[in-house]
Amino acid sequence: MPLNRRTFLGSSAAVGAGAALVGGATIPAEATGHAHGPAHGRPQKRYSFTVLGTTDLHGNVFNWDYFTDKEFDDAAHNDVGLAKISTLVDRIRKEKGRHNTLLIDAGDTIQGTQLSYYYAKVDPITAKRGPVHPMAQAMNAIGYDAAALGNHEFNYGIPVLRKFEEQCHFPLLGANALDAKTLKPAFAPYVIKKLRTPHGRDVRVAILGLTNPGIAIWDKANVQGKMTFPGLEEQAAKWVPKLRSMGADVVIVSAHSGTSGTSSWGDQVPYVENAATLVAEQVPGIDAILVGHAHAEIPERRVVNKKTGKDVVLSEPLKWGQRLTLFDFDLVWERGSWTVEKVGSQVLNSNTVPEDKKITGLLSDEHRKVVAYVNQVIGTSTAPMSTVDAPWKDEPIIDLINHVQTETVKAALAGGEWAALPVLSQASCFSRTAAIPAGNVTIKDAAGLYPFENTMEARLLTGAQIKAYLEFSARYYVQTAAGAPVDTSKLTNADNTPDYNYDVVSGLTYDIDIAKPAGSRIVNLRFEGKDLDPAAKFVLAVNNYRANGGGNFPHVAAAQQLWANSDEIRNTIIGWVQSAGTVDPATFASVDWKLTRDGTPVF
């Protein structure tokens, strides 16, 4: 059967087999080197090389924030983007020697900015004679050797991912992304690169790619029945010995998986989300792991393998191209083969260098198109709105999301079996810097409220289940005794709960008593002025990430689905503003929840 990535949905088994074959091939890198090694009795032969790593680039090429339409900046004055990374990579290659370096990535590449969205949805790469994805252009120009698949690679569907794969001049690796029917790899599991040494014997460096099992939950609509995603430890244990038997002198894992050993999906799948440390501990034969997914910064972490007692070096560069990891390997020739003598890692800060004009020039047209797109005016607002206080106050800007979702679900259910049920809605503060100005509202303003590609669903829940949902959400707050000072910088994100895993629910009124322990904080919970009936039935407008178990909120993943659509919630908000013409908070904003301590409001 001829292989054709574009027809993957109809012939995924064939593509999987072909990709596995590609993964098994040895792909040599050019390398330096001269004559054969020294004669017997001379000093030991040694060779050093460096592996550079990025992760969670999320569509960032330029040091630019498309949601604010200005240069990216944060409190720490970090910079972002592949143009900055390119400058760092060039400097290290000049220092170490181009042929003594490799460059890899640990996933989440094609989703996250309006630049990446534009070329997936507005001017899609999948169109006939469509454009080449900016991330493929930039990564090809910089000279990546391999990239692991991230979970967000699947957000736009498999056809977009396959087209991106086709446009890359390097393999996308996913040893635990399997064809659902054949259970064979649907992507290349690994690649082996040869580095030529001055001593006659090449160093064979194997790069094994592992992705996140959560794809099966988070992108269920795109992958169910097509691909399956077993655990990282299981697949690493299968592939690492094979790579060693094929003559790999060094084994590096590029893993789109954090280090904490935790999961956000509870027991919905039997695999660990953040499994990089477990892989290092349990699978012998790995020298280093480039870590991704968790958006953390880990310059160097050493994990002892439980079977060999040897250190495995882990490093995670900060997201969006803010950092570049360097793994430095020192090898020695012993008993007829290369042995890793020492590994160390560090991260470099991309804010220390200028953007590479080769990259910014290459993609200047694409950048201009997207800037023009996000600045299109779609309506006006009668008042300014902001998320600055939204993590601890009921703010109109979050009410806007819930209002749009509620109206959309009510319209979808009208005239049907569930039309008489009240519709509630959940929303999170995804960004603390989102804002709608008074006056003209642009696409970037509306899109900034919803930076994720989530779609909308309607699920059937009872009053008791809604209360449990709210109690789970309220874990977000640090328990604060009545009368104790309140510092908003220390009030939220208890137990490292991210902002996007704190939901408010509209259509009800309730207080959150933060003086009480988590699990017993929701008080005065009322619907239409009366205490909530635990047996009453409600429709919850909910994003697909939450509906599929993201965040491990109770009940919602198992609840009956009444409706769903494939349009991003962000686009629904943009369309609502265009249709309404005017955004007037007076028509939808109300204070339905507040923080209290022993009945006294905190704010």
Side-chain angles (χ1 to χ4, degrees), residues 317-354:
L318 197 59
K319 65 185 185 298
W320 305 346
Q322 294 179 54
R323 305 287 185 275
L324 176 71
T325 279
L326 272 65
F327 291 104
D328 289 310
F329 291 85
D330 294 330
L331 277 60
V332 62
W333 182 264
E334 289 181 340
R335 294 184 292 279
S337 65
W338 288 108
T339 300
V340 175
E341 186 177 57
K342 188 172 70 171
V343 186
S345 67
Q346 59 177 306
V347 295
L348 302 182
N349 194 328
S350 67
N351 74 3
T352 62
V353 296

Side-chain angles (χ1 to χ4, degrees), residues 325-544:
T325 279
L326 272 65
F327 291 104
D328 289 310
F329 291 85
D330 294 330
L331 277 60
V332 62
W333 182 264
E334 289 181 340
R335 294 184 292 279
S337 65
W338 288 108
T339 300
V340 175
E341 186 177 57
K342 188 172 70 171
V343 186
S345 67
Q346 59 177 306
V347 295
L348 302 182
N349 194 328
S350 67
N351 74 3
T352 62
V353 296
E355 291 185 312
D356 185 343
K357 292 180 180 177
K358 173 184 69 179
I359 304 301
T360 57
L362 177 69
L363 293 163
S364 59
D365 286 347
E366 287 84 346
H367 177 64
R368 281 196 293 268
K369 282 183 184 178
V370 176
V371 167
Y373 165 74
V374 300
N375 280 291
Q376 292 178 48
V377 174
I378 55 174
T380 59
S381 177
T382 62
M385 295 181 283
S386 165
T387 56
V388 170
D389 294 328
W392 48 84
K393 289 183 182 178
D394 187 344
E395 290 288 293
I397 199 165
I398 304 298
D399 291 339
L400 173 60
I401 299 173
N402 277 325
H403 179 68
V404 172
Q405 291 183 164
T406 300
E407 282 202 348
T408 303
V409 169
K410 282 182 177 179
L413 299 180
E417 178 183 359
W418 311 104
L421 290 182
V423 177
L424 312 178
S425 176
Q426 63 80 221
S428 303
C429 176
F430 292 121
S431 166
R432 297 193 182 195
T433 58
I436 300 286
N440 286 344
V441 178
T442 63
I443 284 178
K444 75 174 186 290
D445 298 326
L449 295 183
Y450 227 104
F452 297 104
E453 266 66 62
N454 295 341
T455 58
M456 205 185 319
E457 298 191 14
R459 296 282 178 128
L460 182 65
L461 279 82
T462 66
Q465 290 173 331
I466 291 291
K467 185 174 189 297
Y469 188 101
L470 289 170
E471 287 286 10
F472 185 87
S473 184
R475 303 176 314 150
Y476 173 72
Y477 294 106
V478 175
Q479 187 172 0
T480 309
V486 174
D487 180 352
T488 55
S489 69
K490 299 175 183 177
L491 180 63
T492 62
N493 308 101
D495 297 323
N496 296 314
T497 302
D499 291 348
Y500 63 77
N501 273 345
Y502 170 62
D503 288 0
V504 301
V505 174
S506 69
L508 304 162
T509 59
Y510 58 96
D511 297 341
I512 302 172
D513 191 333
I514 59 172
K516 294 183 177 179
S520 58
R521 291 177 169 173
I522 303 300
V523 293
N524 300 323
L525 178 56
R526 296 190 174 100
F527 173 67
E528 295 183 342
K530 299 177 182 177
D531 288 347
L532 185 69
D533 179 358
K537 291 183 178 180
F538 296 91
V539 177
L540 180 67
V542 59
N543 70 53
N544 68 307

